[in-house]
Amino acid sequence: MTTRITATVVNGMLKPDESILLADQTRVNVTIEPIHEGSATAAAEAWDAIKSQLRKRPLHFGGKRYTRDELHDRD
């Protein structure tokens, strides 16, 4: 029998969100898959906001631009 449940980690221990119908001392296999609270749409909107800010105020440090050979010392 395979049962899929959700649980919360509390003080390093998994606490099931609902009761599990298994006898005490029953050994089980556990697969951990974090539940991501944010949606893909919210993540895309956040990334678009970051890109918009970078377009308005790009990061320029005003330092020397090194060539590939200067970056990779080839002595």
Side-chain angles (χ1 to χ4, degrees), residues 10 20 26 35-36 39 41 43 46 58-61 63 69 71 73:
V10 179
I20 301 171
T26 301
I35 298 173
H36 300 287
S39 68
T41 304
L59 299 174
H60 295 291
F61 298 104
D69 288 334
L71 287 172
D73 187 12

Side-chain angles (χ1 to χ4, degrees), residues 44-70:
E45 289 172 357
W47 184 241
D48 287 340
I50 290 170
K51 290 190 290 186
S52 173
Q53 290 297 319
L54 285 174
R55 273 188 239 105
K56 291 177 190 173
R57 302 191 80 180
L59 299 174
H60 295 291
F61 298 104
K64 179 181 177 187
R65 291 188 166 254
Y66 292 98
T67 65
R68 180 182 173 98
D69 288 334
E70 290 172 322

